[in-house]
């Protein structure tokens, strides 16, 4: 019988183990528990790697290491192909003060709780009553360095190791039955249960370690970001005559112009300009201004390139549209009866589908070209509108001038509508010509159809140009009428100022007959014919429509005690009668001065004319 050698000795157990050479499973399990990889004659591993204990220390107190070259070990025959994996069989562990017996291999393995983060402490329960702290330290000292043991009087303790991997070695002892010495007393025996324990010291150390790793990661990320960050621009130097001379040279260079202007702006913003440096700054500003002509020429060049690109794009679209027309003509010829009857049903279906797709694409392409032409025409009309700023000015029409201006405005709007109608007719005619080309006699050539279409388009374009010329003439007439109105108003104001200077008073300028009061006697400024015409205009209402308008105007102005301007009144009545004009309303109210009164409010640019209803005051004074 082999003698024991310290804690790792075998004692008398070695003589009691009798294993047959042919029982390779038992030999393989025993050698695996000892940390030796069993090999067969051919060098094949006798057990799988999943059974081998990872990181198990063979010197933890098990049987003494066995020499793999001893007689009988190398004679183990190889296992049959595909044997089932064998369970791990634990061996008896002998210590100086106690002996650990493994549990039955047929029983399930001991259960464990979830492992806490950074766990270095284990819970050991089921200890014998007579187990002291020295015995526990002797058993678990083989797993690694022990920092502290906290033992309770209720047969359990907590053991804290120095590293986390030592906890896994301690869990290997879970399920062993401890027997102190050779006693068979119940107080000297107990089944150990080893499990993870949650300790605040372990959690604190783990959190400190995580914070340290996070700081290192942030530092590494910061270094990486600083490495990838582009370099900062160099600081702008302060003004000096030498730097100003260099900057003047940079301002003349087109490539360094942007950088030089930034420096010049910084100097001016800092307040470097003074009486001594004013001449230098003036020369640099003059150099910066010299680039304006270059920039304008570059802009004109780019605009010319853009126009050329647009023209090229338009020509390419026209070429594509021409090819679409040719393909459509081919499909149209194929759909005629003399060719259609010779195709099969599947071929007819495909030809019909292709024809529809081609027609849809052709129509979409044609609409795109028409949209481009429409945009060009709109750009031309916008330029014409910009040339006539009279569109943006707001005029005050009264009497005949107001009526003529309103009529010209309405005629202008109708001409624009007629222009849009002609454009729609051009598009409709274009579509009808396309349909006619598909259904005409096959003997008619495509060139003739194209010529007819171009001729119709040319006629429509001429009509559009004529309408545009008429529209410009009407706008010029409207501008002349407004100029005449302004001239009359200036003459009236000049005459009033002259009369006031001579001590005379001018009355009745707001739609009434102008009279001159001299020494208390009123004298009219119009001739006898004008007086008769004015009296006729101030006469009774001539139609039922005017009576209805007077009633609506009286009601509207009655609910507006502070009065309303003619535009506000016209916008309200236009909802009821779209044909009425602002000049007509103003002339109608001017014929009844005892019912409606015009007043001026505001000064200068805020001067505004308001109409008020004064029928009740006039009735009370009669």
């Amino acid at each position: 019988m082999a003698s024991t050698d310290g804690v790792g000795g075998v004692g008398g157990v070695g003589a009691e183990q009798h294993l047959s050479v042919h029982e390779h499973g038992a030999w393989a399990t025993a050698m695996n528990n000892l940390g030796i990889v069993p090999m067969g004659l051919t060098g094949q591993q006798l057990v799988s790697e999943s059974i081998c204990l990872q990181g198990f220390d063979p010197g933890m107190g098990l049987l003494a290491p066995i020499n793999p070259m001893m007689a009988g070990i190398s004679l183990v025959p190889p296992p049959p192909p595909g044997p089932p994996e064998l369970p791990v069989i634990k061996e008896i562990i002998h210590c100086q003060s106690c002996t650990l017996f493994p549990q039955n291999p047929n029983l399930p393995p001991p259960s464990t709780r979830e492992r806490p983060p950074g766990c270095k402490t284990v819970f050991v329960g089921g200890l014998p009553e007579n187990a002291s702290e020295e015995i526990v330290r002797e058993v678990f000292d083989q797993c690694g360095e022990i920092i502290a043991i906290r033992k309770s009087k209720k047969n359990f303790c907590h053991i804290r190791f120095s590293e986390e991997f030592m906890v896994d070695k301690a869990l290997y002892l879970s399920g062993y039955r401890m027997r102190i010495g050779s006693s068979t007393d119940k107080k000297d025996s107990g089944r150990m249960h080893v499990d993870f324990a949650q300790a605040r010291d372990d959690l604190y150390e783990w959190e400190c370690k995580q914070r340290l790793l996070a700081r290192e990661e942030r530092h590494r990320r910061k270094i990486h970001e600083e490495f990838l960050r582009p370099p900062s621009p160099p600081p702008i130097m302060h003004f000096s005559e030498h730097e100003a001379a260099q900057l003047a040279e940079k301002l003349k260079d087109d490539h360094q112009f942007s950088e030089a202007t930034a420096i010049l702006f910084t100097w001016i913003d800092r307040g470097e300009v003074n009486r001594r440096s004013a001449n230098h700054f003036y020369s640099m500003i003059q150099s910066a201004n010299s680039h304006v002509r270059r920039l304008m020429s570059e802009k004109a060049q780019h605009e010319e390139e853009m126009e050329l690109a647009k023209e090229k794009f338009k020509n390419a679209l026209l070429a594509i549209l021409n090819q679409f027309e040719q393909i459509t003509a081919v499909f149209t010829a194929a759909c005629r009866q003399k060719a259609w009857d010779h195709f099969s049903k599947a071929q007819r279906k495909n030809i019909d589908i292709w024809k529809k797709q081609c027609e849809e694409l052709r129509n979409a392409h044609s609409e795109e070209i028409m949209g481009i032409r429409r945009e060009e025409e709109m750009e031309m009309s916008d330029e014409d509108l910009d040339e006539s700023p009279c569109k943006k000015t707001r005029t005050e029409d009264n009497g005949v001038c107001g009526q003529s201006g309103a009529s010209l405005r309405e005629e202008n709007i109708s001409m624009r509508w007629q222009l849009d109608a002609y454009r729609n007719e051009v598009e409709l005619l274009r579509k009808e010509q396309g349909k006619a080309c598909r259904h005409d006699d096959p003997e008619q050539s495509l060139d003739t159809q194209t010529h007819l279409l171009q001729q119709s388009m040319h006629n429509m374009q001429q009509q559009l140009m004529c309408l545009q010329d008429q529209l410009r003439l009407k706008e010029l007439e409207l501008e002349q009428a407004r100029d005449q109105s302004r001239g009359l108003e200036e003459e009236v104001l000049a005459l009033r100022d002259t009369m006031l200077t001579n001590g005379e008073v001018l009355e009745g300028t707001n739609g009434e007959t102008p009279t001159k009061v001299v020494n208390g006697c009123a004298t009219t400024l119009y001739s006898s014919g004008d007086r008769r015409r004015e009296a006729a205009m101030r006469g009774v209402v001539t139609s039922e429509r005017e009576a209805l308008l007077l009633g609506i105007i009286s009601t509207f102005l009655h609910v507006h005690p502070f009065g309303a301007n003619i535009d506000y009144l016209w916008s309200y009545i236009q909802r009821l009668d779209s044909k009425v004009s602002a000049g007509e309303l103003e002339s109608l109210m001017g014929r009844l001065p005892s019912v409606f009164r015009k007043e001026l409010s505001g000064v200068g640019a805020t001067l505004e004319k308001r109409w008020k209803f004064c029928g009740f005051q006039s009735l009370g004074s009669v």
Side-chain angles (χ1 to χ4, degrees), residues 143-157:
C143 300
E145 181 182 358
I146 297 175
I147 296 178
I149 297 177
R150 296 186 295 273
K151 190 175 181 305
S152 176
K153 297 179 180 180
K154 297 183 179 180
N155 303 331
F156 71 88
C157 67

Side-chain angles (χ1 to χ4, degrees), residues 43 70 84 184 288 322 455 506:
M70 63 185 297
T184 58
N322 189 15
Q455 186 176 2
L506 186 66

Side-chain angles (χ1 to χ4, degrees), residues 397-400 489 492 496 506-515 526 530-531 533-539 583 585-600 609-611:
D397 301 326
N398 52 358
V400 180
E489 289 180 357
V492 170
R496 180 186 297 174
L506 186 66
E507 298 178 352
T509 57
N510 297 330
E512 303 174 2
T513 303
T515 58
Y526 289 162
D530 294 337
R531 287 198 299 269
R533 193 179 303 108
E534 184 70 19
M537 292 180 64
R538 292 189 181 185
L585 295 178
E586 195 166 7
S587 63
L588 182 60
M589 289 187 293
R591 286 158 51 185
L592 299 172
S594 60
V595 182
F596 305 104
R597 184 175 66 249
K598 186 191 295 186
E599 294 182 355
L600 297 176
K609 292 188 294 186
R610 290 177 175 270
W611 286 90

